[in-house]
């Protein structure tokens, strides 16, 4: 086990576990979200080499090194088929082939509602957010819902979202089976503190595990909705040395993934630094 | 038939007050040269329709040209919330129709099929149908009795779409991300394409499998190299994150008006000259051509 790892690497490893290669299911990459991208690439390089990745509608894309400027190009290079959005949406987001597409929203609540639309009143918002893109379809129709957050606090994991851009319903396996909806796991929330899951419409989220060094009380105190707490909560697995090495040396040598954990000016400075490295690499390639 | 026009003639095809579908998605293939031309010409009072919008829509809103917006997302992604979109909605100066990401494509597909609506699977307990009731209706399948959503057809007056290459008749080839552009082209009343290069019809005929918009749908063809810049157009150039960051910074520093005024006051050739140095072009081209893929152990 890697003694020296960062919490985002642990999160990446936990998300990667959700990506499997059984069946005719695909994992979708949309907007460049480094944490989720890292997890998909890690799965491809370790336990799920044959899993289907679809990036920007490039089907069967290979695993790629992460970058801010080249992720579309990387998706298309070596992919096996292309689609426009519409057939892809019918097959995956509305059909029967969606496995995984992580969501990360401004707010999520104990019902599993995600808010990507507004903070405050919908018609007079305090903050207008980007909107959900395909997230409403994803959370309803994919086999799994995996949500990750770079902060675990009661403003983000809140009692009630200001607006439900998307919400999976029903959640319970038997009710989904009866409604002929895709099933494949609980709603899973992965944060810097813990992993939370919900698989029953009538029960709260429970703590699947707390990360090393985090107490159950800390998780409860920082969660805005009620949690089911069992007497014996396990600790999240640490990343292996191999996983950490793959993430740092192969998948994300520029460290794009840290970006999700920074805010404001820190984030800008960090972006400038990563972009300078991407520029330098392109120039080095030109000089060859 | 020769449909080639100059970028400066775009205003013959887009009128103030039109509903305007803008192609591209995420940070890819938005018809930015045409967006800049709309700003130069000040064609306003638009109802903009975008599948997954970004700096394209944000700049048009910033230029004061958008009355109404039908969208599923407007985002600068890593570079922050789209500042003009955010402000316009918060200030109540923009009419919005927020639709889920697949539903908006289904609506365009309905328009493309000359149907009043198309059905799709429901989207759970999303509140979007509550706030955008004109777009969604619950229906019952006449065959199985299942509850489905009907998505009202979206039929833009005009669409602008950026492609890799087109011939003078408007046959358009795309090799990278094509967003919902084929459906948008089929749905819209008029279609203007901008392209990286205009080619002879023989070039199109050599590889018809990459022709995703047939010429009979297209009304005008404009040659606009780097016409999606600063968004990416694969396989030609990568995403100019530096330029988008500059835009985001200008907006954050209260210099948005200056930034947009500059875009509106210079020609497209002057824009390329100013923003795309030889070094920048070389870097963006290299990024598009040499992405790093990783070997898996299993294959």
């Amino acid at each position: 086990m890697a003694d020296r790892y960062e919490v985002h690497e642990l999160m990446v490893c936990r998300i990667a576990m959700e990506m499997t290669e059984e069946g005719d299911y695909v994992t979708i990459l949309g907007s460049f979200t480094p944490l989720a991208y890292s997890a998909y690439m890690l799965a491809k390089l370790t336990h799920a080499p044959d899993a289907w990745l679809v990036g920007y509608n490039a089907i069967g894309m290979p695993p790629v090194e992460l970058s801010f400027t080249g992720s579309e190009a990387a998706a298309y290079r070596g992919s096996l088929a292309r689609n426009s959005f519409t057939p892809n949406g019918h097959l995956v987001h509305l059909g029967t082939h969606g496995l995984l597409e992580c969501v990360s929203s401004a707010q999520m609540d104990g019902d599993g509602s995600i808010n990507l639309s507004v903070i405050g009143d919908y018609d007079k918002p305090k903050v207008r957010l980007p909107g959900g893109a395909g997230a409403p379809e994803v959370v309803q129709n994919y086999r799994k819902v995996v949500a990750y957050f770079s902060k675990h606090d009661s403003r983000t994991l809140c009692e009630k979202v200001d607006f439900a851009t998307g919400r999976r319903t029903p959640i319970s396996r038997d009710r989904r089976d009866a409604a002929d909806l895709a099933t494949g796991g609980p709603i899973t929330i992965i944060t810097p503190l813990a992993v939370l899951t919900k698989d029953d419409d009538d029960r709260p989220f429970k703590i699947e595990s707390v990360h090393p060094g985090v107490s159950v009380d800390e998780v409860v105190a920082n969660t805005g909705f009620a949690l089911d707490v069992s007497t014996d909560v396990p600790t999240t697995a640490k990343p292996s040395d191999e996983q950490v090495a793959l993430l740092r040396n192969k998948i994300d040598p520029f460290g794009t993934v840290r970006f999700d954990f920074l805010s404001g000016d820190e984030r800008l400075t960090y972006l400038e630094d990563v972009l300078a490295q991407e520029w330098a690499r392109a120039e080095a390639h030109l000089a060859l | 038939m020769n449909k080639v026009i100059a970028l400066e003639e775009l205003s013959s095809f887009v009128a103030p007050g039109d509903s305007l579908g803008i192609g591209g998605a995420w940070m890819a293939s938005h018809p930015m040269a045409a967006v800049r031309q709309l700003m130069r010409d000040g064609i306003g009072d638009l109802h903009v329709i975008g599948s997954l919008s970004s700096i394209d829509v944000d700049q048009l809103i910033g230029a004061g040209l958008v009355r109404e917006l039908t969208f599923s997302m407007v985002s600068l992604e890593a570079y922050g919330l789209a500042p003009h979109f955010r402000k316009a909605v918060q200030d109540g100066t923009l009419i919005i129709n927020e639709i889920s990401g697949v539903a908006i494509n289904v609506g365009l597909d309905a328009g493309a099929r000359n149907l009043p609506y198309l059905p799709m699977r429901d989207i759970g307990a999303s509140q979007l149908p509550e706030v955008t009731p004109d777009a969604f209706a619950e229906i019952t399948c006449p065959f199985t009795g299942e509850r489905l959503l009907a998505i009202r057809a979206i039929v833009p007056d005009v669409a602008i779409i950026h492609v890799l290459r087109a011939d003078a008749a408007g046959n358009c080839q795309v090799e990278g991300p094509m967003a919902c552009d084929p459906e948008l082209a089929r749905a819209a009343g008029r279609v203007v394409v901008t392209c990286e290069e205009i080619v002879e019809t023989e070039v199109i005929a050599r590889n018809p499998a990459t022709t995703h918009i047939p010429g009979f749908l297209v009304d005008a063809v404009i040659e606009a190299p780097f016409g999606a810049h600063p968004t990416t157009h694969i396989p030609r150039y990568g995403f100019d994150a530096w330029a988008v960051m500059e835009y985001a910074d200008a907006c954050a520093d209260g210099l948005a008006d200056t930034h947009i005024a500059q875009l509106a006051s210079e020609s497209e050739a002057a824009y390329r000259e100013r923003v795309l140095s030889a070094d920048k072009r070389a870097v963006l081209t290299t990024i598009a051509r040499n992405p790093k893929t990783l070997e898996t152990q299993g294959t």
Side-chain angles (χ1 to χ4, degrees):
Chain A
M1 292 297 138
D3 287 330
R4 300 179 62 139
Y5 66 90
E6 295 184 55
V7 72
H8 65 257
E9 291 168 333
L10 176 146
M11 291 173 67
V12 165
C13 292
R14 179 59 188 81
I15 294 170
M17 280 173 58
E18 299 292 332
M19 194 171 122
T20 54
E21 60 183 17
E22 304 99 75
D24 51 0
Y25 306 109
V26 306
T27 294
I28 294 258
L29 293 75
S31 299
F32 181 62
T33 45
L35 194 88
Y37 274 49
S38 292
Y40 307 153
M41 300 315 156
L42 183 65
K44 283 288 282 183
L45 292 183
T46 55
H47 64 272
D50 292 331
W52 285 90
L53 279 184
V54 179
Y56 308 97
N57 300 321
I59 299 166
M61 70 171 274
V64 299
E65 183 185 288
L66 303 195
S67 77
F68 282 105
T69 54
S71 58
E72 296 88 353
Y76 274 71
R77 181 179 188 173
S79 64
L80 307 174
R82 281 107 206 253
N83 251 341
S84 82
F85 255 147
T86 309
N88 226 37
H90 281 290
L91 273 171
V92 179
H93 297 76
L94 302 172
T96 53
H97 296 278
L99 173 70
L100 176 63
E101 182 173 356
C102 290
V103 295
S104 191
S105 51
Q107 296 177 322
M108 186 163 186
D109 67 22
D111 293 331
S113 297
I114 55 169
N115 178 12
L116 292 141
S117 296
V118 291
I119 299 298
D121 179 66
Y122 187 84
D123 293 318
K124 285 210 161 294
K126 207 182 306 167
V127 182
R128 174 64 226 194
L129 302 166
E137 287 90 357
V138 169
V139 299
Q140 179 63 359
N141 291 310
Y142 277 44
R143 296 192 71 207
K144 314 181 173 202
V145 179
V146 177
Y148 69 88
F149 298 90
S150 58
K151 288 186 299 234
H152 189 140
D153 59 38
S154 55
R155 286 174 58 198
T156 310
L157 300 179
C158 61
E159 188 180 1
K160 181 94 187 117
V161 293
D162 292 349
F163 181 81
T165 311
R167 182 184 152 199
R168 188 177 183 91
T169 187
I171 295 169
S172 301
R173 172 99 195 209
D174 53 343
R175 290 182 205 169
R176 290 189 71 80
D177 284 342
D180 205 18
L181 289 164
T183 54
I187 298 178
T188 304
I189 298 176
I190 297 165
T191 76
L193 298 184
V195 181
L196 313 176
T197 59
K198 180 179 172 84
D199 59 8
D200 186 330
D201 291 290
D202 304 321
R203 299 292 313 162
F205 274 90
K206 56 190 168 207
I207 307 179
E208 179 193 276
S209 64
V210 291
H211 301 342
V214 177
S215 71
V216 169
D217 288 348
E218 196 180 341
V219 173
V220 171
N222 285 287
T223 306
F225 48 80
L227 291 170
D228 256 354
V229 182
S230 65
T231 47
D232 193 15
V233 176
T235 304
T236 315
K238 288 181 188 174
S240 71
D241 292 337
E242 186 210 0
Q243 286 173 317
V244 171
L246 282 172
L247 288 171
R248 292 183 190 177
N249 304 331
K250 279 208 187 291
I251 293 167
D252 192 23
F254 297 145
T256 61
V257 71
R258 281 167 203 276
F259 169 81
D260 279 320
F261 295 83
L262 304 172
S263 53
D265 287 347
E266 223 183 3
R267 182 177 266 213
L268 270 178
T269 312
Y270 189 73
L271 259 176
E272 280 168 5
D273 178 53
V274 172
L275 290 175
Q277 293 181 61
E278 293 188 24
W279 181 288
R281 192 178 68 181
E283 282 203 321
H285 197 278
L286 277 167
L288 288 178
Chain B
M1 188 180 168
N2 187 354
K3 298 170 182 171
V4 177
I5 62 166
L7 183 59
E8 293 75 16
E9 295 173 86
L10 180 63
S11 60
S12 310
F13 292 86
V14 186
D18 274 352
S19 58
L20 169 69
I22 300 182
W26 300 290
M27 291 298 190
S29 303
H30 295 292
M32 296 302 297
V35 164
R36 288 186 282 272
Q37 191 60 37
L38 293 172
M39 294 195 284
R40 290 176 195 117
D41 294 336
I43 297 170
D45 195 30
L46 297 170
H47 172 185
V48 169
I49 298 153
S51 176
L52 290 176
S53 301
S54 177
I55 190 168
D56 53 335
V57 166
D58 198 66
Q59 288 188 344
L60 286 177
I61 295 171
L65 302 178
V66 185
R67 173 188 82 246
E68 183 171 350
L69 178 67
T70 295
F71 73 106
S72 76
M73 178 177 84
V74 184
S75 174
L76 299 187
E77 300 194 359
Y79 313 90
L81 298 173
H84 292 105
F85 162 70
R86 174 185 175 179
K87 183 170 191 310
V89 177
Q90 289 173 197
D91 292 351
T93 58
L94 180 68
I95 301 165
I96 57 167
N97 312 298
E98 184 174 5
I99 301 178
S100 56
V102 180
I104 199 166
N105 296 347
V106 170
L108 287 168
D109 200 11
R113 292 169 194 238
N114 192 28
L115 290 170
Y117 75 91
L118 275 174
M120 66 174 231
R121 295 270 164 203
D122 87 37
I123 52 172
S126 167
Q127 287 182 277
L128 290 173
E130 286 170 34
V131 295
T132 315
D134 286 351
F136 299 89
E138 275 188 35
I139 55 169
T140 304
C141 172
F143 301 108
T144 65
E146 285 170 279
R147 173 186 174 272
L148 298 169
L149 279 180
I151 308 300
R152 187 191 296 265
I154 300 172
V155 183
D157 294 323
V158 56
I160 53 176
I161 292 167
H162 187 71
V163 302
L164 179 59
R165 63 179 87 85
D167 67 3
N171 296 295
C172 298
Q173 297 192 326
V174 184
E175 293 179 8
M178 68 181 113
C180 194
D181 293 354
E183 289 78 15
L184 173 59
R186 294 197 287 267
R190 300 185 297 280
V191 176
V192 179
V193 298
T194 58
C195 59
E196 291 296 317
E197 61 176 331
I198 293 175
V199 297
E200 296 298 325
T201 298
E202 297 96 86
V203 176
I204 302 288
R206 249 177 251 153
N207 196 359
T210 58
T211 308
H212 293 287
I213 300 171
F216 68 85
L217 294 174
V218 173
D219 295 281
V221 179
I222 297 169
E223 189 168 66
F226 282 96
H229 182 271
T231 65
T232 171
H233 195 73
I234 305 301
R236 287 297 172 91
Y237 42 92
F239 172 51
D240 191 345
W242 298 274
V244 172
M245 195 148 74
E246 199 176 304
Y247 174 70
D249 283 350
C251 295
D253 295 341
L255 299 171
D257 290 349
T258 317
H259 191 99
I260 285 172
Q262 176 154 35
L263 293 173
S265 65
E266 66 193 351
S267 69
E268 187 64 15
Y271 170 83
R272 287 195 298 267
E273 182 74 18
R274 176 174 64 84
V275 177
L276 286 156
S277 66
D279 282 355
K280 175 67 82 64
R281 286 175 198 228
V283 163
L284 295 180
T285 306
T286 303
I287 287 166
R289 287 186 185 154
N290 302 284
K292 184 130 185 227
T293 57
L294 304 171
E295 296 289 322
T296 58
Q297 282 154 352
T299 48

